[in-house]
């Protein structure tokens, strides 16, 4: 009798249970008219299909994309005046410079770019500094500036107890302000003063509109300079880009603002670009950095062999420092001799000399045009190569080229230096995180904060992005709004039943009957 009653109840319940119900809801676009009442009171509300409408949609898409790939943390940064660098000729030692802003309120400084040292220093509360008046230099249209920590609201003095302070004999107590002194390879060239922390003003080129970034950095308040720094080389300061803890790339990477890398690009017209966080295009060659005495204290690479034109020379392996703070290139004596002799045999020109020229192998062309000169190729492991197409310095007269010299000098020891003249025409990536130098041919204009994704067929834009960032952004079209994916269907039948029962009262009766039957 009991089982018949139970069977009857089950049949009644089964008939009463409804067909599965499908729930639906109407989606409302984020910029639909129905959403206006809930928008922020001061929020901008774009008209549908307007330029602002698409701009806001695309900005949101890019932000979500960065979050998904974990890229929101890293940015591509450059000085607040822009990524442009410039060489100002002999008055400024043939180095490349860029304008940077420091402090609160910000002050602008024209600093030399030096991958061979670490510290950023600027003339400060000067005791012995180079002239800062534009009238002293032939290529400046405004005076250079002097920094003073007392005039910056964001400056902080570093004490001798700070981890970046080199605790030498000049530190008498831990609370004393930390002094610094940096000596450079050039004879009797140095900068000295006190270490200060302040704000370096940068911009980010990773979104549709440039955004400003204030990055705390340690810098040298350069009270006293000597040697070349009093003769026009880096009169307004020097931006150290080396691998040490006190360099600007190190501060930016440790703060999580950038990938631990930066790029330099120098063009033949004396212009160039600098980007912090740039890892270069996907198609580039590279070679590993080498340690010096067990430490990666500077950017050193190993050259396996050298070729002049199509002639490859034997016994020409050596180590070389890549240094943007050196104008020209120096090679070990035996390598220099082999290259110079082979160059002399291949070049089309009469051997000559020019007054004041520091180079030994100089030539007079047969016409007022530069003849085709043999290239110089440096080869590395895995057969990667770095080609210097014009390894010469050209002298010009009123009617054209009057002569040229092989722009290499010999140096003692087995360590050479690749200077700025060999970097011309390349985008050089100093990938510090992966400990490698990468390079690709470039006219530096494709890095000019190039092109963003156009918002309409007729719009042209100038938002800064390097070439590889443009490619990543423009690779595939992205819908203005993308709905989240539905979860996968559960695979277990009991799970489906229990999930469905949460919304049907019939299920509670069914479960109750099961419980009662179990008690009998």
């Amino acid at each position: 009798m009991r089982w018949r009653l139970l069977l009857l109840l089950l049949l009644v319940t089964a008939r009463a249970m409804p067909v599965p119900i499908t729930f639906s809801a109407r989606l409302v676009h984020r910029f639909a008219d129905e959403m206006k009442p809930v928008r922020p009171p001061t929020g901008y509300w774009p008209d549908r299909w307007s330029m602002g409408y698409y701009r806001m949609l695309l900005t949101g898409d890019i932000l979500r994309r960065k979050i998904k790939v974990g890229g929101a943390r890293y940015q591509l940064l450059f000085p607040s005046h822009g990524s442009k660098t410039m060489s100002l000729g002999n008055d400024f030692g043939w180095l490349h410079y860029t304008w940077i802003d420091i402090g609160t309120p910000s002050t602008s400084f024209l600093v030399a770019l030096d991958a061979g040292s670490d510290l950023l220093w600027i003339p400060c509360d000067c005791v012995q500094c180079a002239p800062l008046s534009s009238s002293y230099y032939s290529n400046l249209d405004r005076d250079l500036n002097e920094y003073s920590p007392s005039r910056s609201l964001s400056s902080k003095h570093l004490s001798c107890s700070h981890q970046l302070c080199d605790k030498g004999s000049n530190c008498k107590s831990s609370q004393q302000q930390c002094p610094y002194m940096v000596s450079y390879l050039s004879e009797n060239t140095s900068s000295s003063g006190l270490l200060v922390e302040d704000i370096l003003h940068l911009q980010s080129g990773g979104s549709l509109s440039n955004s400003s970034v204030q990055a705390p950095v340690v810098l040298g308040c350069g009270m006293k300079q000597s040697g070349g720094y009093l003769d026009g080389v880096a009169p307004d300061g020097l931006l150290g880009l080396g691998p040490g803890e006190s360099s600007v790339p190190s501060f930016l990477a440790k703060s999580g603002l950038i990938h631990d890398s930066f790029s330099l690009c120098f063009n033949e017209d004396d212009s160039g670009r600098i980007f912090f966080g740039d890892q270069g295009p996907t198609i580039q060659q590279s070679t590993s950095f080498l340690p010096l005495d067990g430490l990666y204290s500077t950017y050193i690479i190993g050259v396996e062999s050298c070729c002049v034109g199509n002639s490859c020379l034997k016994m020409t392996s050596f180590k070389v420092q890549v240094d943007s703070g050196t104008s020209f290139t120096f090679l070990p004596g035996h390598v220099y001799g082999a290259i110079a002799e082979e160059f002399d045999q291949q070049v089309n020109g009469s051997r000559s000399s020019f007054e004041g020229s520091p180079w030994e192998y100089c030539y007079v062309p047969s016409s007022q045009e530069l003849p085709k000169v043999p290239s110089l190729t440096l080869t590395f492991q895995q057969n990667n190569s770095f080609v210097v197409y014009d390894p010469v310095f050209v002298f010009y007269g009123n009617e054209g080229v009057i002569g040229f010299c092989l722009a290499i000098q010999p140096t003692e020891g087995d360590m050479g230096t690749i200077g700025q003249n060999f970097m011309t025409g390349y985008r050089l990536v100093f990938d510090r995180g992966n400990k490698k130098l990468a390079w690709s041919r470039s006219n530096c204009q494709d890095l000019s904060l190039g092109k963003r994704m156009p918002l309409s067929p007729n719009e042209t834009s100038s938002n800064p992005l390097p070439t590889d960032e443009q490619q990543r952004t423009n690779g595939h079209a992205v819908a203005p709004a993308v709905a989240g994916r539905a979860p996968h269907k559960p695979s277990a039948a009991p799970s489906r039943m229990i999930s469905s029962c949460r919304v049907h009262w019939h299920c509670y009766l069914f479960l109750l009957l099961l419980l009662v039957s179990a008690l009998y």
Side-chain angles (χ1 to χ4, degrees):
M1 185 66 182
R2 291 177 180 173
W3 67 269
R4 290 180 180 176
L5 179 60
L6 178 60
L7 181 59
L8 179 61
L9 289 172
L10 287 175
L11 291 173
V12 172
T13 303
R15 289 180 181 177
M17 292 186 68
V19 177
I21 299 175
T22 302
F23 290 91
S24 64
R26 189 169 69 92
L27 297 178
V28 179
H29 195 274
R30 77 181 88 164
F31 296 140
D33 290 338
E34 293 94 320
M35 294 297 294
K36 284 187 177 181
V38 297
R39 75 185 191 277
T42 59
Y44 166 68
W45 197 264
D47 293 330
R48 199 172 188 187
W49 315 128
S50 67
M51 193 60 63
Y53 175 87
Y54 286 111
R55 189 185 303 276
M56 291 186 70
L57 288 178
L58 188 56
T59 301
D61 287 342
I62 293 175
L63 179 59
R64 285 192 298 276
R65 180 175 176 271
K66 285 185 175 182
I67 293 174
K68 287 180 181 179
V69 301
R73 176 185 177 192
Y74 298 110
Q75 304 177 64
L76 195 69
L77 300 180
F78 49 91
S80 54
H81 284 266
S83 66
K84 185 177 180 180
T85 71
M86 67 210 83
S87 176
L88 301 172
N90 192 50
D91 278 357
F92 288 79
W94 298 103
L95 299 181
H96 266 258
Y97 293 78
T98 193
W99 288 100
I100 63 172
D101 282 346
I102 294 175
T104 307
S106 63
T107 305
S108 298
F109 299 90
L110 183 65
V111 292
L113 305 176
D114 184 16
S117 66
D118 297 324
L119 186 65
L120 162 62
W121 64 262
I122 49 181
C124 166
D125 294 341
C126 284
V127 175
Q128 181 175 292
C129 298
L132 301 177
S133 172
S134 61
S135 61
Y136 189 82
Y137 307 96
S138 60
N139 293 321
L140 288 184
D141 57 3
R142 67 177 185 179
D143 292 343
L144 302 175
N145 288 315
E146 178 182 343
Y147 173 78
S148 178
S150 62
R151 294 197 297 266
S152 174
L153 299 177
S154 51
S155 69
K156 301 176 184 177
H157 291 301
L158 259 67
S159 67
C160 284
S161 61
H162 196 278
Q163 62 178 0
L164 292 180
C165 184
D166 184 9
K167 302 173 180 62
S169 58
N170 291 326
C171 274
K172 306 302 182 182
S173 69
S174 60
Q175 299 305 314
Q176 178 186 334
Q177 190 171 350
C178 180
Y180 82 89
M181 169 145 183
V182 181
S183 297
Y184 297 86
L185 292 177
S186 301
E187 186 176 1
N188 298 323
T189 298
S190 66
S191 175
S192 60
L194 299 172
L195 290 184
V196 177
E197 180 182 304
D198 211 334
I199 296 297
L200 173 64
H201 298 268
L202 302 167
Q203 285 193 355
S204 168
S207 61
L208 285 178
S209 59
N210 296 342
S211 57
S212 61
V213 175
Q214 286 75 44
V217 297
V218 170
L219 57 98
C221 169
M223 301 176 176
K224 186 176 181 180
Q225 277 63 252
S226 66
Y229 293 145
L230 296 178
D231 299 329
V233 178
D236 208 24
L238 182 140
L239 177 58
L241 299 169
E245 290 185 339
S246 61
S247 73
V248 166
S250 296
F251 285 116
L252 299 180
K254 286 182 179 180
S255 64
L257 291 171
I258 63 168
H259 289 285
D260 195 3
S261 61
F262 69 92
S263 68
L264 294 172
C265 189
F266 301 140
N267 204 3
E268 293 180 356
D269 64 356
D270 294 331
S271 68
R273 303 287 171 183
I274 180 171
F275 287 99
F276 299 109
D278 183 16
Q279 294 184 303
T282 54
I283 301 177
Q284 60 184 358
Q285 297 188 74
S286 65
T287 189
S288 297
F289 290 130
L290 301 178
L292 179 64
D293 298 329
L295 300 174
Y296 291 92
S297 55
T298 189
Y299 302 119
I300 296 175
I301 55 178
V303 177
E304 295 288 316
S305 63
C306 300
C307 302
V308 178
N310 294 323
S311 177
C312 294
L313 311 174
K314 297 181 179 179
M315 306 296 291
T316 52
S317 63
F318 61 99
K319 293 181 180 179
V320 61
Q321 179 185 9
V322 184
D323 181 14
S324 64
T326 301
S327 304
F328 300 102
T329 295
F330 296 79
L331 298 182
H334 71 285
V335 178
Y336 166 80
I339 290 175
E341 290 177 8
E342 183 64 31
F343 182 89
D344 186 59
Q345 293 180 16
Q346 296 187 28
V347 72
N348 181 18
S350 302
R351 187 84 177 267
S352 183
S353 61
F354 295 92
E355 184 179 355
S357 169
W359 298 293
E360 178 183 3
Y361 286 79
C362 297
Y363 305 86
V364 174
S366 57
S367 66
Q368 277 72 44
E369 296 182 356
L370 179 68
K372 184 177 181 179
V373 298
S375 61
L376 173 60
T377 302
L378 308 179
T379 60
F380 306 92
Q381 292 181 350
Q382 300 178 345
N383 209 29
N384 288 334
S385 61
F386 185 95
V387 183
V388 183
Y389 292 94
D390 293 307
V392 296
F393 184 88
V394 183
F395 296 92
Y396 292 90
N398 294 331
E399 298 181 357
V401 176
I402 61 174
F404 60 93
C405 300
L406 177 63
I408 305 174
Q409 285 188 293
T411 184
E412 297 179 359
D414 58 357
M415 178 77 72
T417 301
I418 291 180
Q420 284 187 6
N421 67 321
F422 273 26
M423 300 179 186
T424 301
Y426 280 97
R427 174 183 181 180
L428 287 176
V429 175
F430 295 77
D431 191 340
R432 298 141 47 94
N434 294 309
K435 291 183 172 57
K436 66 180 183 181
L437 177 76
W439 61 91
S440 57
R441 290 290 293 174
S442 175
N443 63 4
C444 304
Q445 297 308 310
D446 55 357
L447 297 180
S448 62
L449 309 179
K451 303 173 182 178
R452 74 175 184 228
M453 187 188 302
L455 301 177
S456 68
N458 297 324
E459 182 188 0
T460 58
S461 170
S462 60
N463 188 63
L465 284 178
T467 303
D468 60 320
E469 291 291 328
Q470 297 168 32
Q471 292 169 349
R472 292 172 193 164
T473 305
N474 291 324
H476 301 281
V478 181
V482 180
R485 291 185 178 181
H488 295 292
K489 294 181 179 179
S491 58
S495 299
R496 289 198 299 270
M497 180 178 290
I498 292 173
S499 177
S500 176
C501 283
R502 289 172 183 165
V503 293
H504 300 304
W505 66 269
H506 309 88
C507 296
Y508 290 105
L509 176 59
F510 176 69
L511 294 173
L512 178 61
L513 290 174
L514 290 178
L515 179 60
V516 170
S517 64
L519 294 176
Y520 283 87

Coordinates of all heavy atoms in Angstrom, one line a residue, residues 30 67 88 115 117 155 166 176 242 250-251 322 330 345 360 369 404 461 474:
R30 N 26.0 50.7 -23.1 CA 26.5 51.6 -22.1 C 26.2 53.1 -22.4 O 26.1 53.9 -21.5 CB 28.0 51.4 -21.8 CG 28.9 52.1 -22.9 CD 30.3 51.8 -22.7 NE 30.7 50.6 -23.3 CZ 32.0 50.3 -23.5 NH1 33.0 51.1 -23.1 NH2 32.3 49.1 -24.1
I67 N 44.4 44.9 -19.5 CA 44.2 44.2 -18.3 C 44.2 42.7 -18.5 O 44.8 41.9 -17.7 CB 42.8 44.6 -17.7 CG1 42.9 46.1 -17.2 CG2 42.4 43.7 -16.5 CD1 41.6 46.7 -16.7
L88 N 73.9 68.3 -31.7 CA 74.1 69.8 -32.0 C 75.5 70.1 -32.5 O 76.0 71.2 -32.4 CB 73.8 70.6 -30.7 CG 72.4 70.4 -30.2 CD1 72.2 71.1 -28.8 CD2 71.4 70.9 -31.2
A115 N 74.8 55.9 -22.4 CA 74.6 54.5 -22.0 C 75.8 53.9 -21.3 O 75.8 52.8 -20.8 CB 74.3 53.7 -23.2
S117 N 77.3 55.3 -18.5 CA 77.3 55.7 -17.1 C 75.9 55.6 -16.5 O 74.9 55.4 -17.3 CB 77.9 57.1 -16.9 OG 77.0 58.1 -17.4
S155 N 61.6 68.0 -4.0 CA 63.0 67.6 -3.8 C 63.2 67.0 -2.4 O 62.6 67.5 -1.5 CB 64.0 68.7 -4.1 OG 63.9 69.7 -3.1
D166 N 77.3 56.1 -1.9 CA 78.6 55.5 -1.8 C 79.3 56.1 -0.6 O 79.8 57.2 -0.6 CB 79.4 55.8 -3.1 CG 80.8 55.1 -3.1 OD1 81.0 54.2 -2.2 OD2 81.6 55.4 -4.0
Q176 N 74.3 62.9 7.4 CA 74.8 63.9 6.5 C 74.3 63.7 5.1 O 74.0 62.6 4.7 CB 76.4 63.7 6.5 CG 77.1 64.7 5.6 CD 78.6 64.4 5.5 OE1 79.1 63.8 6.5 NE2 79.2 64.7 4.4
G242 N 72.9 53.6 -17.9 CA 73.6 52.3 -17.7 C 72.8 51.4 -16.9 O 71.7 51.7 -16.4
S250 N 66.6 52.1 -14.5 CA 66.5 51.2 -13.3 C 65.4 51.6 -12.4 O 64.6 50.8 -11.9 CB 67.8 51.1 -12.5 OG 68.8 50.6 -13.3
F251 N 65.3 53.0 -12.2 CA 64.2 53.5 -11.3 C 62.8 53.2 -11.9 O 61.9 52.8 -11.3 CB 64.4 55.0 -11.1 CG 65.5 55.3 -10.1 CD1 66.6 56.0 -10.5 CD2 65.4 54.9 -8.8 CE1 67.6 56.3 -9.7 CE2 66.4 55.2 -7.9 CZ 67.5 56.0 -8.3
V322 N 79.1 49.2 -25.7 CA 78.2 50.0 -26.5 C 77.9 51.2 -25.6 O 77.2 51.2 -24.6 CB 76.9 49.2 -26.8 CG1 76.0 50.0 -27.7 CG2 77.3 47.9 -27.4
F330 N 86.1 53.2 -31.0 CA 87.5 52.8 -30.7 C 87.6 51.3 -30.7 O 86.7 50.6 -30.1 CB 87.9 53.4 -29.3 CG 88.0 54.9 -29.2 CD1 86.8 55.6 -29.1 CD2 89.1 55.6 -29.3 CE1 86.8 57.0 -29.0 CE2 89.2 57.0 -29.2 CZ 88.0 57.7 -29.0
Q345 N 92.8 49.4 -48.9 CA 92.9 48.7 -50.2 C 91.6 48.8 -51.0 O 91.7 48.8 -52.2 CB 93.3 47.2 -49.9 CG 94.7 47.0 -49.3 CD 95.0 45.5 -49.1 OE1 94.3 44.7 -49.7 NE2 96.0 45.2 -48.4
E360 N 93.6 58.7 -38.7 CA 94.8 58.4 -39.5 C 94.6 58.1 -41.0 O 95.3 58.6 -41.8 CB 95.6 57.2 -38.9 CG 96.8 56.8 -39.6 CD 97.4 55.5 -39.0 OE1 96.9 55.0 -38.0 OE2 98.5 55.1 -39.4
E369 N 81.5 64.6 -54.6 CA 80.6 63.6 -53.9 C 81.3 62.5 -53.2 O 82.4 62.2 -53.6 CB 79.6 63.0 -55.0 CG 78.8 64.0 -55.7 CD 77.8 63.4 -56.7 OE1 77.9 62.1 -56.9 OE2 77.0 64.1 -57.3
F404 N 87.2 62.6 -46.5 CA 86.6 61.8 -45.5 C 87.6 60.9 -44.8 O 88.7 60.7 -45.4 CB 85.5 60.9 -46.2 CG 86.0 60.0 -47.2 CD1 86.4 58.7 -47.0 CD2 86.1 60.4 -48.5 CE1 86.8 57.8 -48.0 CE2 86.6 59.6 -49.6 CZ 86.9 58.3 -49.3
S461 N 46.1 60.7 -37.4 CA 46.4 60.9 -36.0 C 47.9 60.9 -35.8 O 48.6 60.4 -36.5 CB 45.8 59.7 -35.2 OG 46.2 59.8 -33.9
N474 N 47.0 47.4 -34.5 CA 46.2 47.4 -35.8 C 46.1 46.0 -36.4 O 45.6 45.9 -37.5 CB 46.9 48.3 -36.8 CG 46.8 49.8 -36.4 OD1 45.8 50.2 -35.8 ND2 47.8 50.6 -36.6

